[in-house]
């Protein structure tokens, strides 16, 4: 037996060359090697896994579709509420802005959700059943209910552009649509928390108590921000307040999630999620400051900037949580370690 | 603990509305007699016409499959460990020089594998270890050089066909359904590729086939069961490591086998998934393992996510009311 | 010391099983198995490439480091083992160098089938040279070991073999 160039003994016709140390060690002698299992190479054991492979499957959803939907759906639901409020309190410009935001976000939500299915025509299979055990089923029905209602509301805003007959029909449907949409909208903002928490993904499931509140608050921040940005400063006060309240609540709830998750919060603070969530905090601060300043100075420019900052905060939060979930699923540590703490006792 | 599930507890088929179902069928995979021939993997693919899922040398002992997925419904795991199997004696003490390195191998493998087969490997964590369980004590060197005995664990993994199946619960189309045999099957003409079941499965079994977007998993050969045949994998298993039958009967057989192994000095033998009181209500396909579940890539204490769904809905409704109230308050508080 | 063996996933030299995706994906590449000790000594990396050279040829294979390969002690010498499955060749879904290139044309003294269980070899890290360099590498080994075209062709009786081991 000879070895290649780097080291080891070469056997040649004229004898052995470069004899490896310990080569002639006798059985029973230590030969200079350390006993044990090469412990100097193995780092301290924290948990065990099958070749470091993930135990569960990370979500196959595309981030821009599903994390995008978490943001858009929230904005749609929140804007629908603000539209109703603006309507009731006589703020026509804000109402128009809110209705257009709500219809636009709802339309985009449906578009990204259907896009994620791969084949759009398969969407109709969602409408075969109503399944309370599946937040996605309930969510599909909520969104399918909301879409035509907010579409009618948005058309009512632009009825001047419609043919006369259509404008009349839309005008008659506008009020019942608005009421129904307002009833559905709050659930649309929060069910997404249950949607992603209802998985085996450690960072999501672990936060199932907080996620609906966090996503609802974040939805208000997004909707308040977008509507405030799209409305005249004089009418936008409720949107500003809702946005700021949502933003503050979302940041507090984000803290609560971190406390709840313990070691599972690691994916929220590391890597891409960590960067996204840190950026969302900066956006929250900037948005709140700018919107407050816009209210004081009656500045539309500041309002637009602040509103967009809050919307960005919401989007960054949703993307941050989405990626944290994926990261927590891809690393066996987050599945094995928490489960090991309360796993059944094993023999010997 | 499972009272609040929308699905029943003991007899999944009956609870799913079959008035007179046949006995619940399942697998008992006794890994102590698995020889790693992978006949189950091949038989499964042949019968179910599953495409191959890529030629990649993974370096995980003889496992070049990695884990279960859309195109792998049976997966044989290979684990090399630096300890003897029961009272087995490999006569290592007579031959070798140098320390054993099964534990180091695992490290090298994890570091060398990178991103393969869609799973990110734990090299980042720096804590991946395949070695023996800590409660088993350190491996006992059998030579002065520190080499230990070696055991080569093999285990054929499969869909667990849970009593409380998360994939089935979360499926928004009803594509996943409970059969009269108490198993869980995907109807491929109904699946619309939403992918919700993939992260919902606590075992990482069900997966999306990239080119068609739908999900696929073990059907426990529903077609064969329907005509009174046993599934392809258990039919092909040459050592009866994979045993097929009524779950009740298999559980009895498994308990007996554990006793037998304990008597033979294999004290580490334990059942996994046979307990009807675990987080998924027991599984239709359960295992006899020779180490802790996570060593084979199983979750140590899986829980069906929908156990907490009623609480989630409660929180979502309260949160929705909160959102509406905040919006209302915003208008109330806004000055003109 | 080199030894060859089969894998359950392939059939003989792989001429049939290497064309089947279900079997090829289970053992997709030619590999050599070495002990951790040999990997250290020869500088081999898990899943890296190694070149295995005998008096007859040089082939390349991916490295699997495993405790299942145990260095053995023959008298007072430590002999490392290199394990090679012999299922690969140039065609099929999965291709690789053939272990049969390395083996000698000798018969097992007891049962008179080809003797492929114990050959002397060298193993070195990296892929094998291509083209004429491959031949030159083997010739270099032959020159150093003093092997010529006539080496091993002398007729030996079983009595003599029995005596010399």
């Amino acid at each position: 037996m000879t070895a290649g160039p780097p080291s080891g003994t070469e056997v040649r016709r004229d004898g052995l060359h470069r004899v490896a140390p310990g080569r002639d060690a006798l059985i029973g002698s230590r030969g200079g090697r350390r006993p044990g299992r090469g412990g100097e190479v193995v780092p301290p054991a924290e948990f065990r896994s099958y070749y470091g492979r993930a135990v569960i499957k990370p979500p196959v959803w595309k981030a821009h579709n599903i994390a995008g939907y978490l943001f858009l759906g929230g904005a749609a639901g929140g804007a629908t509420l603000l539209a109703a409020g603006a309507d009731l309190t006589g703020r026509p410009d804000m109402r128009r802005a809110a209705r257009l935001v709500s219809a636009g976000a709802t339309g985009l939500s449906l578009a990204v959700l259907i896009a994620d299915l791969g084949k759009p025509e398969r969407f109709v299979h969602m409408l075969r059943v109503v399944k309370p055990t599946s937040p996605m089923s309930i969510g599909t029905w909520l969104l399918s209910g909301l879409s035509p209602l907010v579409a009618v509301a948005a058309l009512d805003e632009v009825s001047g552009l419609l043919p006369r007959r259509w404008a009349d029909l839309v005008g008659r449907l506008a009020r019942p649509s608005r009421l129904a949409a307002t009833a559905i909208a709050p659930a649309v903002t929060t069910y997404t928390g249950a949607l992603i928490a209802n998985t085996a993904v450690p960072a999501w499931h672990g936060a199932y108590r907080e996620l609906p509140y966090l996503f609802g608050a974040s939805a208000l921040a997004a909707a308040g921000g977008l509507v405030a940005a799209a409305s005249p400063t004089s009418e936008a006060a409720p949107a500003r307040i809702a946005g700021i309240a949502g933003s503050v609540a979302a940041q507090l709830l984000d803290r609560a999630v971190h406390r709840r998750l313990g070691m599972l919060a690691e994916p929220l603070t590391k890597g891409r999620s960590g960067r996204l969530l840190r950026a969302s905090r900066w956006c929250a601060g900037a948005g709140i400051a700018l919107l407050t300043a816009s209210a004081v100075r009656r500045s539309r420019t500041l309002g637009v900037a602040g509103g967009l900052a809050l919307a960005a905060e919401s989007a960054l939060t949703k993307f941050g949580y989405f990626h944290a979930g994926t990261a927590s699923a891809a690393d066996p540590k987050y599945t094995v370690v928490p489960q090991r703490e309360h796993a059944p006792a094993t023999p010997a | 603990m499972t009272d609040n599930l929308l699905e029943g507890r003991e007899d999944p088929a009956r609870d799913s509305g079959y008035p007179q179902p046949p006995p619940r069928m399942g697998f008992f995979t006794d890994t102590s007699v698995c020889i790693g021939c992978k006949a189950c993997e091949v038989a499964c693919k042949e019968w179910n016409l599953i495409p191959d899922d890529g030629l990649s040398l993974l370096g995980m002992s003889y496992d070049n499959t990695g884990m279960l997925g859309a195109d792998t419904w049976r997966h044989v795991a290979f684990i090399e460990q630096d300890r003897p199997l029961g009272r087995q004696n490999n006569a290592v003490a007579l031959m070798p020089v140098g320390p054993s390195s099964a534990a180091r191998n695992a490290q090298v493998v994890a570091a060398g594998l990178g991103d393969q087969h869609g799973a990110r490997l734990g090299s980042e964590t720096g804590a991946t270890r395949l070695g023996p369980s800590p409660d088993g004590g350190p491996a006992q060197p059998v030579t002065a050089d520190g080499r230990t005995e070696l055991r080569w664990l093999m285990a054929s993994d499969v869909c667990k066909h849970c009593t409380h199946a998360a994939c089935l619960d979360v499926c928004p189309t009803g594509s996943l359904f409970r059969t009269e045999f108490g198993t869980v099957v995907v109807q491929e003409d109904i699946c619309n590729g939403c992918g919700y079941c993939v992260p919902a499965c606590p075992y990482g079994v069900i997966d999306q086939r990239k080119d068609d977007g739908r999900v696929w998993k073990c059907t426990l050969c529903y077609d064969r069961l329907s005509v009174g045949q046993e599934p392809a994998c258990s039919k092909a298993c040459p050592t009866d490591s994979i045993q097929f039958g009524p779950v009740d009967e298999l559980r009895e057989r498994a308990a007996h086998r554990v006793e037998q192994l304990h008597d033979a000095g294999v004290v580490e033998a334990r059942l996994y998934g046979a307990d009807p009181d675990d987080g998924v209500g027991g599984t239709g396909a359960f295992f006899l393992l020779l180490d802790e579940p996570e060593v084979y890539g199983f979750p140590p204490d899986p829980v069906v996510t929908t156990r907490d769904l009623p609480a989630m809905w409660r929180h979502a409704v309260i949160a929705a009311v909160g959102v509406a109230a905040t919006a209302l308050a915003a208008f109330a508080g806004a000055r003109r | 010391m080199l030894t060859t063996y089969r894998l359950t996933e392939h059939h003989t030299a792989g001429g049939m099983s290497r064309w089947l995706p279900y079997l090829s994906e289970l053992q997709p590449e030619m590999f050599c198995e070495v002990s951790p000790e040999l990997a250290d000594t020869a500088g081999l990396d898990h899943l890296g490439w190694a070149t295995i050279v005998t008096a007859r040829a040089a082939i390349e294979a991916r490295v699997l480091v495993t405790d299942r390969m145990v260095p053995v002690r023959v008298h007072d010498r430590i002999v490392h083992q290199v394990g090679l499955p012999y299922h690969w060749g140039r065609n099929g879904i999965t291709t690789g160098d053939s272990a049969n290139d390395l083996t000698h044309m000798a018969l097992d003294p007891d049962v008179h089938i080809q003797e492929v269980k114990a050959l002397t070899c060298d193993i070195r890290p990296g892929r094998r040279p291509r083209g004429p360099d491959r031949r030159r590498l083997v010739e270099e080994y032959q020159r150093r070991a003093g092997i010529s075209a006539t080496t091993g062709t002398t007729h030996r009786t079983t009595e003599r073999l029995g005596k010399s081991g």
Side-chain angles (χ1 to χ4, degrees):
Chain A
M1 180 69 237
T2 69
S7 65
T9 314
E10 278 182 54
V11 182
R12 297 186 196 160
R13 253 184 306 169
D14 54 345
L16 301 177
H17 291 258
R18 294 195 298 154
V19 175
R23 185 176 191 283
D24 295 318
L26 297 169
I27 286 180
S29 75
R30 293 249 165 146
R33 284 188 193 253
R34 282 174 49 162
R37 298 180 291 118
E40 70 280 359
V41 194
V42 185
E46 289 170 27
F47 74 104
R48 304 194 300 154
S49 72
Y50 185 63
Y51 297 95
R53 282 189 165 257
V55 173
I56 62 164
K57 291 265 187 305
V60 290
W61 298 321
K62 289 179 194 71
H64 58 272
N65 286 340
I66 299 304
Y69 164 64
L70 296 178
F71 164 68
L72 289 168
T80 309
L81 284 178
L82 293 180
D87 191 20
L88 290 174
T89 56
R91 292 176 164 91
D93 289 330
M94 179 182 159
R95 184 193 68 193
R96 168 182 301 237
R99 281 182 169 178
L100 294 177
V101 166
S102 130
T106 310
L108 284 174
S109 296
L110 276 177
V112 292
L113 287 181
I114 292 174
D116 204 63
L117 295 179
K119 290 194 178 134
E121 64 271 23
R122 293 201 291 226
F123 175 75
V124 291
H125 294 184
M126 290 280 192
L127 308 177
R128 288 177 77 239
V129 288
V130 182
K131 246 175 114 172
T133 58
S134 172
M136 190 181 280
S137 170
I138 300 300
T140 305
W141 285 107
L142 286 175
L143 206 61
S144 304
L146 187 68
S147 326
L149 302 176
V150 296
V152 167
L155 285 176
D156 190 35
E157 290 299 333
V158 294
S159 59
L161 305 175
L162 296 175
R164 184 63 182 264
R165 282 218 329 261
W166 286 93
D168 284 350
L169 180 67
V170 165
R172 277 202 303 279
L173 288 175
R175 179 167 286 264
S177 294
R178 192 185 67 206
L179 287 173
T182 312
I184 296 175
V188 172
T189 65
T190 61
Y191 95 89
T192 45
L195 175 79
I196 65 165
N198 190 35
T199 57
V201 174
W204 292 347
H205 188 89
Y208 74 84
R209 297 171 192 83
E210 288 83 8
L211 278 182
Y213 302 99
L214 171 62
F215 280 17
S218 180
L220 268 185
L226 287 173
V227 173
S231 313
T233 324
S234 57
E235 285 192 6
R240 283 194 296 266
I241 297 175
I244 291 172
S247 173
V248 170
Q251 294 304 329
L252 291 175
L253 284 158
D254 178 53
R255 293 288 95 207
V257 169
H258 279 72
R259 276 196 303 279
R260 164 82 67 188
L261 289 178
M263 74 88 79
L264 286 178
E266 218 171 80
L268 287 170
T269 57
K270 285 203 312 196
R272 193 191 314 188
S273 304
R275 286 195 297 278
L276 290 170
L277 290 175
R278 277 193 295 280
S280 95
R281 269 164 232 143
W282 282 104
C283 284
I288 292 169
L290 287 168
L291 279 185
T292 315
S294 89
V296 175
R297 295 203 182 170
R298 300 269 149 194
S299 158
R300 181 77 196 259
T301 319
L302 289 177
V304 170
L308 292 179
L310 284 195
E313 176 220 345
S314 175
L316 289 165
T317 304
K318 301 282 169 72
F319 275 86
Y321 271 81
F322 183 87
H323 287 298
T326 306
S328 77
D331 192 328
K333 177 163 75 170
Y334 302 116
T335 305
V336 172
V337 174
Q339 290 190 20
R340 179 47 58 202
E341 281 168 12
H342 41 85
T346 46
Chain B
M1 54 150 267
T2 44
D3 299 341
N4 55 7
L5 279 168
L6 294 141
E7 229 195 297
R9 186 174 156 70
E10 282 303 329
D11 188 347
R14 197 178 297 276
D15 293 326
S16 303
Y18 295 95
Q20 298 257 294
R24 182 180 183 190
M25 303 305 263
F27 289 128
F28 165 45
T29 306
D30 178 357
T31 70
S32 68
V33 291
C34 180
I35 55 169
C37 68
K38 304 184 193 169
C40 48
E41 282 193 40
V42 178
C44 173
K45 290 209 170 191
E46 288 274 357
W47 179 261
N48 294 298
L49 300 174
I50 310 171
D52 73 274
D53 56 356
L55 302 169
S56 45
L57 185 75
L58 296 183
M60 294 153 54
S61 192
Y62 278 1
D63 177 5
N64 293 309
T65 307
M67 69 189 296
L68 293 175
D71 298 333
T72 302
W73 300 355
R74 269 277 176 192
H75 159 235
V76 183
F78 288 76
I79 303 137
E80 297 175 19
Q81 289 186 336
D82 47 3
R83 57 188 47 236
L85 184 62
R87 294 177 191 136
Q88 173 201 69
N89 181 355
N90 291 333
V92 170
L94 303 176
M95 302 189 288
V97 289
S100 167
S101 69
R104 189 178 52 176
N105 271 9
Q107 199 62 31
V108 172
V109 168
L113 286 179
D115 216 340
Q116 294 210 36
H117 261 235
R120 190 184 310 163
L121 289 146
S123 47
E124 279 179 7
T125 69
T128 305
R129 203 165 70 94
L130 271 170
S133 85
D135 50 20
Q140 293 301 314
V142 292
T143 69
D145 289 321
R147 205 173 244 268
T148 59
E149 286 282 355
L150 173 85
R151 69 174 184 175
W152 201 3
L153 303 180
M154 295 147 198
S156 181
D157 189 9
V158 69
C159 172
K160 317 297 178 293
H161 297 279
C162 309
T163 306
H164 304 300
C167 59
L168 189 156
D169 284 347
V170 304
C171 175
T173 64
S175 165
L176 276 149
F177 75 109
R178 181 77 64 180
T179 72
E180 66 271 33
F181 302 103
T183 58
V184 181
V185 175
V186 189
Q187 300 173 79
E188 293 309 339
D189 52 339
I190 303 296
C191 175
N192 72 352
C194 77
Y196 199 9
C197 49
V198 175
C201 173
Y203 300 96
V205 170
I206 197 164
D207 197 11
Q208 194 175 47
R209 196 170 281 169
K210 292 290 169 245
D211 54 354
D212 79 354
R214 294 177 295 169
V215 295
W216 303 78
K217 74 169 193 71
C218 165
T219 65
L220 214 126
C221 285
Y222 187 38
D223 48 351
R224 294 174 64 96
L225 257 62
S226 307
V227 294
Q229 297 219 24
E230 70 174 315
C233 56
S234 64
K235 182 94 180 164
C237 182
T239 64
D240 264 355
S241 168
I242 302 172
Q243 300 176 27
F244 165 76
V247 171
D248 292 344
E249 192 184 302
L250 290 176
R251 281 184 182 154
E252 271 176 42
R253 222 187 289 175
H256 175 70
R257 174 69 180 158
V258 169
E259 271 175 39
Q260 200 182 18
L261 283 171
H262 285 178
D263 291 345
V266 188
V267 289
E268 63 271 36
R270 86 276 317 261
L271 295 181
Y272 176 74
D275 177 6
D277 292 322
D278 69 13
V280 296
T283 55
F286 59 97
F287 302 82
L288 185 151
L289 303 180
L290 297 178
D291 202 337
E292 276 154 18
E294 58 265 35
V295 174
Y296 296 87
F298 294 133
D301 186 22
V303 172
V304 58
T305 177
T306 41
R307 185 190 67 179
D308 301 320
L309 186 59
M312 289 178 215
W313 280 134
R314 240 180 352 259
H315 287 298
V317 169
I318 299 171
V321 172
V323 167
T326 313
L328 199 65
F331 282 96
R335 286 173 299 137
R336 278 309 187 90
Chain C
M1 189 67 71
L2 177 161
T3 189
T4 63
Y5 42 83
R6 298 164 192 236
L7 304 170
T8 51
E9 292 86 348
H10 284 291
H11 181 252
T12 65
M16 290 179 274
S17 52
R18 267 186 285 108
W19 292 92
L20 299 173
Y22 293 165
L23 295 174
S24 295
E25 68 176 330
L26 296 179
Q27 287 297 359
E29 235 175 305
M30 175 68 181
F31 59 82
C32 62
E33 293 189 290
V34 297
S35 67
E37 292 83 359
L38 178 57
D40 270 355
T41 313
L44 305 172
D45 293 326
H46 191 74
L47 288 182
W49 286 95
T51 299
I52 300 110
V53 192
T54 69
R56 284 142 304 265
I59 67 164
E60 63 185 12
R62 302 283 294 277
V63 176
L64 295 185
V65 180
T66 169
D67 260 358
R68 287 178 287 107
M69 300 308 288
V70 178
V72 294
R73 186 178 294 272
V74 179
H75 302 301
D76 60 344
R77 281 180 55 180
I78 291 153
V79 178
H80 287 291
Q81 306 186 73
V82 177
L84 287 178
Y86 57 76
H87 303 298
W88 275 271
R90 290 169 194 201
N91 50 15
I93 297 169
T94 155
T95 58
D97 282 357
S98 168
N100 283 339
D101 288 351
L102 300 178
T103 55
H104 47 162
M105 284 188 266
L107 296 182
D108 179 282
D110 295 322
V111 290
H112 287 226
I113 60 168
Q114 68 208 34
E115 210 294 277
V116 289
K117 295 301 171 194
L119 317 162
T120 53
C121 74
D122 186 18
I123 187 163
R124 47 200 288 164
R127 305 192 70 159
R128 64 168 163 78
R130 313 275 135 173
D133 289 346
R134 181 183 188 184
R135 189 66 233 156
R136 273 196 281 281
L137 176 75
V138 177
E139 281 165 1
E140 165 65 14
Y141 273 89
Q142 288 172 342
R143 190 186 55 72
R144 276 163 51 197
I147 294 170
S148 70
T150 55
T151 307
T153 56
T154 328
H155 180 73
R156 289 178 162 192
T157 62
T158 42
E159 289 76 38
R160 279 197 59 194
L161 269 176
K163 203 188 292 176
S164 66

